[in-house]
Amino acid sequence: MMHISNGNFMELSREKRAFLEQNIFKGKIIKQFQGRGGLIYIVERDCIPKFVAYKTTQEFEKEDISTIKVGAIENIEREAGNWFRYSNHPLLIRPFSVTLVNNFPIICMPYCNGDLSAFTRSKQSLTSVIILSLQIIKGLIEASKAGLKYHQDIKPDNILYIDLSEKYRNFPPEDVEHYLRYSVRIADFGVANAYLNGHPGGTNVYKAPEQYDIETVSYTNLTMPKNREVEELIVPVVTHNNSAEIYH
C-alpha cells in the first residue's frame, strides 16, 4: 500500500483534480460517478492497462473536513480488505492497489464497460439470461470458497461486466450467441459478511426478507430459490436471497 499525504488537498476541487491526476492516478479523469457505494473515477493513462477505475468514499469530496464521518473511512477500509480477501477468481473484481490520501483509502481496480442494470432495462433472450446468470452463480460459489458467506448487496449495479469483443479480434464468432462477449465481474464487497456482526446491510429494493429483520430469520439454511422465473435471474441474484451459499 502506498501512502500519499497533502495538507492542502481537500481545499479546492480544481487543485484536487490536478493533484489526483498528477500524483495518484498518473492519468486523466474522463468520467466520475457517485452513488450509495461511494465515488468512482474512470482514468485514462498512457500505459497498460489504458483504463482503470478508482473508488473511494463520498466523504472524499467534502471541502469541510470537520463534517467528515470516521465511519465513512472505516467503511471503505473494510470494503478494500474484503475485496482482496474474497476476490479469488476472474469473475470477481480484484483491486490492483490501495492508496491513502489524507487517510482516505482510494482503491485502484480494473475498468469495466458497465453494469448489469443496462441489461435489466431491456428484454433479454433466454440464452443471454442463462449466460449472464451462470457467471454470477459461479462467481459467488468461488467467493464462498474464500470465506464469503453473505455478499448482502447483490444487485444489478454491483454486477459489472467486461466486453471481451474489445479485447479479442472477431470474438465471439458470428454464428455464436453474441452475449458470450460479456464477462461478469462481481463487485462491491462493502457489507460482505456484515451479518455476522449484526449488520443486515443491503439495498432496500433488493433486500432479502431476513435483511429487514435479522431476529426472525436465520441466514444459515437459506439457499437460492429454485422456482424463480428464469428472466428474473438477470436482476440478479434473486431478490429473495443475498447469500453466496447457493450450492447446497
Side-chain angles (χ1 to χ4, degrees):
M1 178 184 290
M2 177 172 55
H3 189 166
I4 296 178
S5 181
N6 184 324
N8 299 320
F9 178 67
M10 300 298 294
E11 294 181 2
L12 296 174
S13 59
R14 182 177 298 179
E15 293 180 359
K16 195 180 303 183
R17 183 186 185 94
F19 178 83
L20 280 173
E21 291 183 337
Q22 295 175 18
N23 298 282
I24 309 299
F25 299 162
K26 308 295 184 182
K28 181 180 179 181
I29 300 173
I30 58 175
K31 290 182 182 179
Q32 181 177 338
F33 305 93
Q34 181 173 326
R36 288 182 69 254
L39 295 173
I40 301 289
Y41 302 94
I42 306 300
V43 176
E44 181 178 8
R45 311 182 302 175
D46 293 326
C47 60
I48 298 176
K50 185 176 180 63
F51 298 99
V52 292
Y54 287 85
K55 180 175 183 178
T56 189
T57 175
Q58 292 185 22
E59 306 282 319
F60 184 71
E61 289 279 343
K62 288 189 175 181
E63 296 185 4
D64 185 357
I65 301 178
S66 64
T67 65
I68 295 175
K69 299 178 181 179
V70 175
I73 298 178
E74 293 176 345
N75 289 342
I76 194 69
E77 288 177 343
R78 181 177 62 249
E79 179 169 5
N82 285 343
W83 245 336
F84 282 105
R85 188 175 299 113
Y86 304 126
S87 297
N88 63 337
H89 191 275
L91 293 174
L92 306 163
I93 285 285
R94 184 172 181 82
F96 294 126
S97 62
V98 179
T99 301
L100 290 178
V101 178
N102 284 354
N103 293 321
F104 282 92
I106 301 181
I107 307 170
C108 179
M109 56 189 182
Y111 166 76
C112 294
N113 295 95
D115 62 62
L116 260 62
S117 63
F119 301 123
T120 62
R121 291 192 293 266
S122 59
K123 184 177 180 180
Q124 306 299 322
S125 68
L126 175 60
T127 304
S128 66
V129 169
I130 293 174
I131 289 173
L132 295 172
S133 299
L134 287 178
Q135 293 183 67
I136 296 164
I137 294 169
K138 173 64 173 176
L140 288 175
I141 289 174
E142 292 300 324
S144 73
K145 294 178 181 179
L148 178 70
K149 290 183 178 294
Y150 321 110
H151 183 284
Q152 297 187 218
D153 201 18
I154 286 292
K155 58 183 179 180
D157 294 357
N158 290 340
I159 308 294
L160 310 180
Y161 70 86
I162 292 176
D163 188 342
L164 297 178
S165 68
E166 296 184 0
K167 293 178 174 290
Y168 306 105
R169 185 179 302 175
N170 300 322
F171 181 85
E174 293 184 1
D175 58 343
V176 174
E177 168 63 45
H178 76 280
Y179 264 82
L180 286 174
R181 68 195 288 181
Y182 300 120
S183 181
V184 161
R185 299 289 186 274
I186 298 175
D188 202 334
F189 291 86
V191 291
N193 286 355
Y195 172 81
L196 300 176
N197 296 317
H199 177 59
T203 302
N204 284 338
V205 177
Y206 299 98
K207 280 184 178 181
E210 64 275 10
Q211 287 181 281
Y212 289 97
D213 188 358
I214 62 176
E215 299 297 328
T216 60
V217 181
S218 171
Y219 272 67
T220 306
N221 296 317
L222 285 178
T223 59
M224 177 179 292
K226 298 176 178 63
N227 298 319
R228 301 290 296 182
E229 294 180 282
V230 174
E231 63 267 22
E232 285 188 347
L233 289 174
I234 196 65
V235 170
V237 169
V238 195
T239 56
H240 289 302
N241 178 32
N242 262 298
S243 169
E245 297 182 327
I246 58 181
Y247 49 89
H248 290 186

mmCIF file of all heavy atoms in Angstrom, residues 65-103:
data_model
loop_
_atom_site.group_PDB
_atom_site.id
_atom_site.type_symbol
_atom_site.label_atom_id
_atom_site.label_comp_id
_atom_site.label_asym_id
_atom_site.label_seq_id
_atom_site.Cartn_x
_atom_site.Cartn_y
_atom_site.Cartn_z
ATOM 1 N N ILE A 65 -13.570 19.560 6.166
ATOM 2 C CA ILE A 65 -13.042 18.344 6.773
ATOM 3 C C ILE A 65 -13.735 18.022 8.094
ATOM 4 O O ILE A 65 -13.873 16.860 8.467
ATOM 5 C CB ILE A 65 -11.518 18.469 6.987
ATOM 6 C CG1 ILE A 65 -10.818 18.715 5.658
ATOM 7 C CG2 ILE A 65 -10.951 17.217 7.647
ATOM 8 C CD1 ILE A 65 -9.325 18.893 5.773
ATOM 9 N N SER A 66 -14.216 19.054 8.796
ATOM 10 C CA SER A 66 -14.825 18.848 10.108
ATOM 11 C C SER A 66 -16.121 18.045 10.030
ATOM 12 O O SER A 66 -16.583 17.495 11.025
ATOM 13 C CB SER A 66 -15.096 20.195 10.788
ATOM 14 O OG SER A 66 -16.055 20.944 10.052
ATOM 15 N N THR A 67 -16.740 17.972 8.843
ATOM 16 C CA THR A 67 -18.012 17.252 8.684
ATOM 17 C C THR A 67 -17.815 15.792 8.265
ATOM 18 O O THR A 67 -18.776 15.051 8.133
ATOM 19 C CB THR A 67 -18.902 17.943 7.632
ATOM 20 O OG1 THR A 67 -18.269 17.859 6.339
ATOM 21 C CG2 THR A 67 -19.141 19.401 7.997
ATOM 22 N N ILE A 68 -16.590 15.408 8.038
ATOM 23 C CA ILE A 68 -16.311 14.040 7.592
ATOM 24 C C ILE A 68 -16.502 13.054 8.738
ATOM 25 O O ILE A 68 -16.002 13.254 9.845
ATOM 26 C CB ILE A 68 -14.873 13.936 7.047
ATOM 27 C CG1 ILE A 68 -14.731 14.805 5.788
ATOM 28 C CG2 ILE A 68 -14.510 12.495 6.741
ATOM 29 C CD1 ILE A 68 -13.335 14.870 5.244
ATOM 30 N N LYS A 69 -17.246 11.997 8.473
ATOM 31 C CA LYS A 69 -17.529 10.989 9.476
ATOM 32 C C LYS A 69 -16.464 9.893 9.447
ATOM 33 O O LYS A 69 -16.125 9.386 8.382
ATOM 34 C CB LYS A 69 -18.909 10.376 9.235
ATOM 35 C CG LYS A 69 -20.048 11.380 9.311
ATOM 36 C CD LYS A 69 -21.373 10.716 9.006
ATOM 37 C CE LYS A 69 -22.517 11.716 9.049
ATOM 38 N NZ LYS A 69 -23.825 11.087 8.722
ATOM 39 N N VAL A 70 -15.985 9.542 10.619
ATOM 40 C CA VAL A 70 -14.973 8.492 10.720
ATOM 41 C C VAL A 70 -15.515 7.178 10.164
ATOM 42 O O VAL A 70 -14.800 6.405 9.535
ATOM 43 C CB VAL A 70 -14.530 8.306 12.185
ATOM 44 C CG1 VAL A 70 -13.557 7.134 12.301
ATOM 45 C CG2 VAL A 70 -13.885 9.573 12.720
ATOM 46 N N GLY A 71 -16.803 6.946 10.363
ATOM 47 C CA GLY A 71 -17.410 5.713 9.892
ATOM 48 C C GLY A 71 -17.299 5.525 8.397
ATOM 49 O O GLY A 71 -17.189 4.397 7.905
ATOM 50 N N ALA A 72 -17.324 6.635 7.641
ATOM 51 C CA ALA A 72 -17.230 6.552 6.184
ATOM 52 C C ALA A 72 -15.872 6.008 5.767
ATOM 53 O O ALA A 72 -15.766 5.209 4.830
ATOM 54 C CB ALA A 72 -17.455 7.930 5.568
ATOM 55 N N ILE A 73 -14.835 6.433 6.463
ATOM 56 C CA ILE A 73 -13.484 5.945 6.158
ATOM 57 C C ILE A 73 -13.353 4.477 6.569
ATOM 58 O O ILE A 73 -12.760 3.671 5.852
ATOM 59 C CB ILE A 73 -12.429 6.797 6.888
ATOM 60 C CG1 ILE A 73 -12.508 8.254 6.400
ATOM 61 C CG2 ILE A 73 -11.028 6.234 6.653
ATOM 62 C CD1 ILE A 73 -11.539 9.189 7.080
ATOM 63 N N GLU A 74 -13.941 4.135 7.694
ATOM 64 C CA GLU A 74 -13.899 2.741 8.138
ATOM 65 C C GLU A 74 -14.606 1.831 7.149
ATOM 66 O O GLU A 74 -14.173 0.701 6.903
ATOM 67 C CB GLU A 74 -14.539 2.626 9.522
ATOM 68 C CG GLU A 74 -13.740 3.332 10.622
ATOM 69 C CD GLU A 74 -14.452 3.286 11.954
ATOM 70 O OE1 GLU A 74 -15.672 2.975 11.971
ATOM 71 O OE2 GLU A 74 -13.806 3.552 12.993
ATOM 72 N N ASN A 75 -15.687 2.320 6.556
ATOM 73 C CA ASN A 75 -16.446 1.518 5.589
ATOM 74 C C ASN A 75 -15.626 1.202 4.347
ATOM 75 O O ASN A 75 -15.629 0.066 3.858
ATOM 76 C CB ASN A 75 -17.730 2.243 5.194
ATOM 77 C CG ASN A 75 -18.749 2.281 6.311
ATOM 78 O OD1 ASN A 75 -18.667 1.507 7.267
ATOM 79 N ND2 ASN A 75 -19.700 3.189 6.216
ATOM 80 N N ILE A 76 -14.929 2.207 3.805
ATOM 81 C CA ILE A 76 -14.146 1.980 2.591
ATOM 82 C C ILE A 76 -12.923 1.123 2.908
ATOM 83 O O ILE A 76 -12.470 0.331 2.075
ATOM 84 C CB ILE A 76 -13.728 3.316 1.925
ATOM 85 C CG1 ILE A 76 -13.229 3.064 0.498
ATOM 86 C CG2 ILE A 76 -12.720 4.066 2.751
ATOM 87 C CD1 ILE A 76 -14.282 2.625 -0.475
ATOM 88 N N GLU A 77 -12.393 1.242 4.125
ATOM 89 C CA GLU A 77 -11.283 0.383 4.543
ATOM 90 C C GLU A 77 -11.739 -1.074 4.613
ATOM 91 O O GLU A 77 -11.024 -1.975 4.170
ATOM 92 C CB GLU A 77 -10.750 0.831 5.911
ATOM 93 C CG GLU A 77 -9.970 2.137 5.870
ATOM 94 C CD GLU A 77 -9.524 2.567 7.252
ATOM 95 O OE1 GLU A 77 -10.088 2.052 8.259
ATOM 96 O OE2 GLU A 77 -8.625 3.424 7.352
ATOM 97 N N ARG A 78 -12.938 -1.292 5.160
ATOM 98 C CA ARG A 78 -13.475 -2.652 5.245
ATOM 99 C C ARG A 78 -13.715 -3.217 3.856
ATOM 100 O O ARG A 78 -13.414 -4.381 3.578
ATOM 101 C CB ARG A 78 -14.774 -2.660 6.044
ATOM 102 C CG ARG A 78 -15.384 -4.057 6.187
ATOM 103 C CD ARG A 78 -16.645 -4.079 7.037
ATOM 104 N NE ARG A 78 -17.705 -3.282 6.448
ATOM 105 C CZ ARG A 78 -18.160 -2.134 6.957
ATOM 106 N NH1 ARG A 78 -17.615 -1.663 8.070
ATOM 107 N NH2 ARG A 78 -19.127 -1.463 6.370
ATOM 108 N N GLU A 79 -14.251 -2.382 2.960
ATOM 109 C CA GLU A 79 -14.515 -2.850 1.602
ATOM 110 C C GLU A 79 -13.226 -3.245 0.898
ATOM 111 O O GLU A 79 -13.173 -4.270 0.209
ATOM 112 C CB GLU A 79 -15.233 -1.774 0.797
ATOM 113 C CG GLU A 79 -15.515 -2.203 -0.630
ATOM 114 C CD GLU A 79 -16.446 -1.253 -1.365
ATOM 115 O OE1 GLU A 79 -16.803 -0.209 -0.798
ATOM 116 O OE2 GLU A 79 -16.795 -1.571 -2.517
ATOM 117 N N ALA A 80 -12.179 -2.428 1.059
ATOM 118 C CA ALA A 80 -10.899 -2.750 0.428
ATOM 119 C C ALA A 80 -10.374 -4.088 0.932
ATOM 120 O O ALA A 80 -9.910 -4.930 0.153
ATOM 121 C CB ALA A 80 -9.886 -1.636 0.702
ATOM 122 N N GLY A 81 -10.456 -4.300 2.241
ATOM 123 C CA GLY A 81 -9.994 -5.554 2.813
ATOM 124 C C GLY A 81 -10.800 -6.739 2.309
ATOM 125 O O GLY A 81 -10.245 -7.783 1.967
ATOM 126 N N ASN A 82 -12.125 -6.565 2.248
ATOM 127 C CA ASN A 82 -12.991 -7.640 1.757
ATOM 128 C C ASN A 82 -12.694 -7.979 0.304
ATOM 129 O O ASN A 82 -12.712 -9.146 -0.098
ATOM 130 C CB ASN A 82 -14.456 -7.236 1.898
ATOM 131 C CG ASN A 82 -14.950 -7.311 3.329
ATOM 132 O OD1 ASN A 82 -14.322 -7.938 4.177
ATOM 133 N ND2 ASN A 82 -16.065 -6.664 3.612
ATOM 134 N N TRP A 83 -12.440 -6.959 -0.490
ATOM 135 C CA TRP A 83 -12.168 -7.183 -1.909
ATOM 136 C C TRP A 83 -10.940 -8.077 -2.092
ATOM 137 O O TRP A 83 -10.947 -9.033 -2.853
ATOM 138 C CB TRP A 83 -11.963 -5.854 -2.617
ATOM 139 C CG TRP A 83 -13.014 -5.555 -3.632
ATOM 140 C CD1 TRP A 83 -13.797 -6.442 -4.299
ATOM 141 C CD2 TRP A 83 -13.415 -4.266 -4.104
ATOM 142 N NE1 TRP A 83 -14.645 -5.801 -5.157
ATOM 143 C CE2 TRP A 83 -14.436 -4.460 -5.057
ATOM 144 C CE3 TRP A 83 -12.997 -2.967 -3.812
ATOM 145 C CZ2 TRP A 83 -15.051 -3.412 -5.728
ATOM 146 C CZ3 TRP A 83 -13.614 -1.927 -4.470
ATOM 147 C CH2 TRP A 83 -14.629 -2.148 -5.420
ATOM 148 N N PHE A 84 -9.872 -7.746 -1.410
ATOM 149 C CA PHE A 84 -8.660 -8.558 -1.524
ATOM 150 C C PHE A 84 -8.873 -9.949 -0.925
ATOM 151 O O PHE A 84 -8.300 -10.924 -1.388
ATOM 152 C CB PHE A 84 -7.496 -7.861 -0.820
ATOM 153 C CG PHE A 84 -6.882 -6.741 -1.619
ATOM 154 C CD1 PHE A 84 -7.130 -5.416 -1.283
ATOM 155 C CD2 PHE A 84 -6.073 -7.014 -2.713
ATOM 156 C CE1 PHE A 84 -6.574 -4.382 -2.022
ATOM 157 C CE2 PHE A 84 -5.506 -5.983 -3.459
ATOM 158 C CZ PHE A 84 -5.758 -4.660 -3.116
ATOM 159 N N ARG A 85 -9.694 -10.024 0.105
ATOM 160 C CA ARG A 85 -9.899 -11.295 0.805
ATOM 161 C C ARG A 85 -10.717 -12.290 -0.009
ATOM 162 O O ARG A 85 -10.423 -13.479 -0.025
ATOM 163 C CB ARG A 85 -10.598 -11.008 2.144
ATOM 164 C CG ARG A 85 -10.708 -12.203 3.070
ATOM 165 C CD ARG A 85 -11.293 -11.776 4.414
ATOM 166 N NE ARG A 85 -10.436 -10.789 5.078
ATOM 167 C CZ ARG A 85 -10.788 -9.506 5.294
ATOM 168 N NH1 ARG A 85 -11.958 -9.052 4.913
ATOM 169 N NH2 ARG A 85 -9.946 -8.690 5.896
ATOM 170 N N TYR A 86 -11.752 -11.799 -0.693
ATOM 171 C CA TYR A 86 -12.690 -12.703 -1.345
ATOM 172 C C TYR A 86 -12.550 -12.798 -2.861
ATOM 173 O O TYR A 86 -13.115 -13.700 -3.480
ATOM 174 C CB TYR A 86 -14.131 -12.292 -1.008
ATOM 175 C CG TYR A 86 -14.406 -12.231 0.474
ATOM 176 C CD1 TYR A 86 -14.937 -11.087 1.068
ATOM 177 C CD2 TYR A 86 -14.121 -13.323 1.292
ATOM 178 C CE1 TYR A 86 -15.183 -11.033 2.426
ATOM 179 C CE2 TYR A 86 -14.354 -13.277 2.660
ATOM 180 C CZ TYR A 86 -14.881 -12.119 3.220
ATOM 181 O OH TYR A 86 -15.109 -12.070 4.566
ATOM 182 N N SER A 87 -11.825 -11.892 -3.469
ATOM 183 C CA SER A 87 -11.724 -11.888 -4.937
ATOM 184 C C SER A 87 -10.641 -12.850 -5.394
ATOM 185 O O SER A 87 -9.503 -12.448 -5.683
ATOM 186 C CB SER A 87 -11.438 -10.463 -5.437
ATOM 187 O OG SER A 87 -12.504 -9.602 -5.103
ATOM 188 N N ASN A 88 -11.006 -14.113 -5.479
ATOM 189 C CA ASN A 88 -10.047 -15.166 -5.810
ATOM 190 C C ASN A 88 -10.302 -15.775 -7.176
ATOM 191 O O ASN A 88 -9.826 -16.856 -7.478
ATOM 192 C CB ASN A 88 -10.126 -16.262 -4.741
ATOM 193 C CG ASN A 88 -11.505 -16.929 -4.712
ATOM 194 O OD1 ASN A 88 -12.492 -16.335 -5.158
ATOM 195 N ND2 ASN A 88 -11.564 -18.133 -4.190
ATOM 196 N N HIS A 89 -11.087 -15.069 -8.027
ATOM 197 C CA HIS A 89 -11.485 -15.651 -9.309
ATOM 198 C C HIS A 89 -11.711 -14.521 -10.312
ATOM 199 O O HIS A 89 -12.085 -13.404 -9.927
ATOM 200 C CB HIS A 89 -12.766 -16.462 -9.116
ATOM 201 C CG HIS A 89 -13.146 -17.309 -10.283
ATOM 202 N ND1 HIS A 89 -13.883 -16.815 -11.343
ATOM 203 C CD2 HIS A 89 -12.892 -18.615 -10.565
ATOM 204 C CE1 HIS A 89 -14.069 -17.771 -12.228
ATOM 205 N NE2 HIS A 89 -13.476 -18.874 -11.788
ATOM 206 N N PRO A 90 -11.489 -14.781 -11.621
ATOM 207 C CA PRO A 90 -11.690 -13.737 -12.638
ATOM 208 C C PRO A 90 -13.104 -13.149 -12.677
ATOM 209 O O PRO A 90 -13.294 -12.035 -13.163
ATOM 210 C CB PRO A 90 -11.377 -14.472 -13.950
ATOM 211 C CG PRO A 90 -10.414 -15.535 -13.558
ATOM 212 C CD PRO A 90 -10.878 -15.995 -12.204
ATOM 213 N N LEU A 91 -14.100 -13.880 -12.158
ATOM 214 C CA LEU A 91 -15.470 -13.365 -12.155
ATOM 215 C C LEU A 91 -15.725 -12.397 -11.001
ATOM 216 O O LEU A 91 -16.830 -11.884 -10.854
ATOM 217 C CB LEU A 91 -16.471 -14.526 -12.080
ATOM 218 C CG LEU A 91 -16.515 -15.428 -13.319
ATOM 219 C CD1 LEU A 91 -17.426 -16.628 -13.077
ATOM 220 C CD2 LEU A 91 -16.974 -14.646 -14.539
ATOM 221 N N LEU A 92 -14.704 -12.160 -10.196
ATOM 222 C CA LEU A 92 -14.797 -11.234 -9.073
ATOM 223 C C LEU A 92 -13.774 -10.118 -9.269
ATOM 224 O O LEU A 92 -12.622 -10.383 -9.599
ATOM 225 C CB LEU A 92 -14.514 -11.964 -7.760
ATOM 226 C CG LEU A 92 -15.370 -13.212 -7.493
ATOM 227 C CD1 LEU A 92 -14.726 -14.063 -6.405
ATOM 228 C CD2 LEU A 92 -16.777 -12.807 -7.096
ATOM 229 N N ILE A 93 -14.216 -8.878 -9.078
ATOM 230 C CA ILE A 93 -13.285 -7.753 -9.219
ATOM 231 C C ILE A 93 -12.187 -7.855 -8.165
ATOM 232 O O ILE A 93 -12.478 -7.965 -6.972
ATOM 233 C CB ILE A 93 -14.027 -6.412 -9.048
ATOM 234 C CG1 ILE A 93 -14.847 -6.081 -10.286
ATOM 235 C CG2 ILE A 93 -13.045 -5.288 -8.769
ATOM 236 C CD1 ILE A 93 -14.021 -5.599 -11.461
ATOM 237 N N ARG A 94 -10.934 -7.815 -8.602
ATOM 238 C CA ARG A 94 -9.812 -7.813 -7.665
ATOM 239 C C ARG A 94 -9.022 -6.526 -7.854
ATOM 240 O O ARG A 94 -8.505 -6.268 -8.947
ATOM 241 C CB ARG A 94 -8.908 -9.015 -7.869
ATOM 242 C CG ARG A 94 -7.786 -9.082 -6.836
ATOM 243 C CD ARG A 94 -7.005 -10.376 -6.909
ATOM 244 N NE ARG A 94 -5.956 -10.447 -5.906
ATOM 245 C CZ ARG A 94 -6.143 -10.810 -4.645
ATOM 246 N NH1 ARG A 94 -7.338 -11.141 -4.249
ATOM 247 N NH2 ARG A 94 -5.152 -10.841 -3.791
ATOM 248 N N PRO A 95 -8.904 -5.703 -6.811
ATOM 249 C CA PRO A 95 -8.188 -4.431 -6.926
ATOM 250 C C PRO A 95 -6.713 -4.623 -7.239
ATOM 251 O O PRO A 95 -6.126 -5.664 -6.943
ATOM 252 C CB PRO A 95 -8.370 -3.807 -5.532
ATOM 253 C CG PRO A 95 -9.555 -4.493 -4.951
ATOM 254 C CD PRO A 95 -9.499 -5.897 -5.480
ATOM 255 N N PHE A 96 -6.133 -3.583 -7.849
ATOM 256 C CA PHE A 96 -4.698 -3.577 -8.101
ATOM 257 C C PHE A 96 -3.937 -3.101 -6.867
ATOM 258 O O PHE A 96 -2.907 -3.655 -6.503
ATOM 259 C CB PHE A 96 -4.365 -2.652 -9.274
ATOM 260 C CG PHE A 96 -4.919 -3.109 -10.600
ATOM 261 C CD1 PHE A 96 -5.705 -2.261 -11.367
ATOM 262 C CD2 PHE A 96 -4.668 -4.387 -11.076
ATOM 263 C CE1 PHE A 96 -6.210 -2.672 -12.591
ATOM 264 C CE2 PHE A 96 -5.174 -4.810 -12.302
ATOM 265 C CZ PHE A 96 -5.950 -3.948 -13.058
ATOM 266 N N SER A 97 -4.466 -2.047 -6.244
ATOM 267 C CA SER A 97 -3.743 -1.441 -5.120
ATOM 268 C C SER A 97 -4.680 -0.521 -4.339
ATOM 269 O O SER A 97 -5.786 -0.218 -4.774
ATOM 270 C CB SER A 97 -2.549 -0.625 -5.622
ATOM 271 O OG SER A 97 -2.996 0.452 -6.455
ATOM 272 N N VAL A 98 -4.205 -0.091 -3.173
ATOM 273 C CA VAL A 98 -4.919 0.896 -2.363
ATOM 274 C C VAL A 98 -3.941 2.003 -1.997
ATOM 275 O O VAL A 98 -2.835 1.740 -1.520
ATOM 276 C CB VAL A 98 -5.497 0.274 -1.074
ATOM 277 C CG1 VAL A 98 -6.214 1.346 -0.251
ATOM 278 C CG2 VAL A 98 -6.444 -0.864 -1.401
ATOM 279 N N THR A 99 -4.349 3.248 -2.247
ATOM 280 C CA THR A 99 -3.519 4.409 -1.924
ATOM 281 C C THR A 99 -4.219 5.241 -0.861
ATOM 282 O O THR A 99 -5.438 5.427 -0.918
ATOM 283 C CB THR A 99 -3.286 5.289 -3.168
ATOM 284 O OG1 THR A 99 -2.649 4.523 -4.178
ATOM 285 C CG2 THR A 99 -2.412 6.488 -2.824
ATOM 286 N N LEU A 100 -3.483 5.724 0.125
ATOM 287 C CA LEU A 100 -4.053 6.586 1.159
ATOM 288 C C LEU A 100 -3.749 8.047 0.845
ATOM 289 O O LEU A 100 -2.593 8.416 0.653
ATOM 290 C CB LEU A 100 -3.481 6.219 2.533
ATOM 291 C CG LEU A 100 -3.920 4.885 3.134
ATOM 292 C CD1 LEU A 100 -3.206 4.667 4.469
ATOM 293 C CD2 LEU A 100 -5.419 4.840 3.330
ATOM 294 N N VAL A 101 -4.780 8.857 0.779
ATOM 295 C CA VAL A 101 -4.630 10.299 0.579
ATOM 296 C C VAL A 101 -5.360 10.992 1.715
ATOM 297 O O VAL A 101 -6.590 10.899 1.823
ATOM 298 C CB VAL A 101 -5.213 10.743 -0.776
ATOM 299 C CG1 VAL A 101 -5.077 12.253 -0.940
ATOM 300 C CG2 VAL A 101 -4.528 10.024 -1.920
ATOM 301 N N ASN A 102 -4.608 11.665 2.582
ATOM 302 C CA ASN A 102 -5.209 12.269 3.781
ATOM 303 C C ASN A 102 -6.050 11.260 4.563
ATOM 304 O O ASN A 102 -7.154 11.562 5.027
ATOM 305 C CB ASN A 102 -6.065 13.483 3.402
ATOM 306 C CG ASN A 102 -5.218 14.691 3.068
ATOM 307 O OD1 ASN A 102 -4.005 14.672 3.229
ATOM 308 N ND2 ASN A 102 -5.848 15.734 2.583
ATOM 309 N N ASN A 103 -5.530 10.054 4.660
ATOM 310 C CA ASN A 103 -6.165 8.947 5.387
ATOM 311 C C ASN A 103 -7.406 8.378 4.707
ATOM 312 O O ASN A 103 -8.089 7.531 5.271
ATOM 313 C CB ASN A 103 -6.511 9.376 6.815
ATOM 314 C CG ASN A 103 -5.278 9.621 7.654
ATOM 315 O OD1 ASN A 103 -4.286 8.895 7.552
ATOM 316 N ND2 ASN A 103 -5.314 10.662 8.479
#
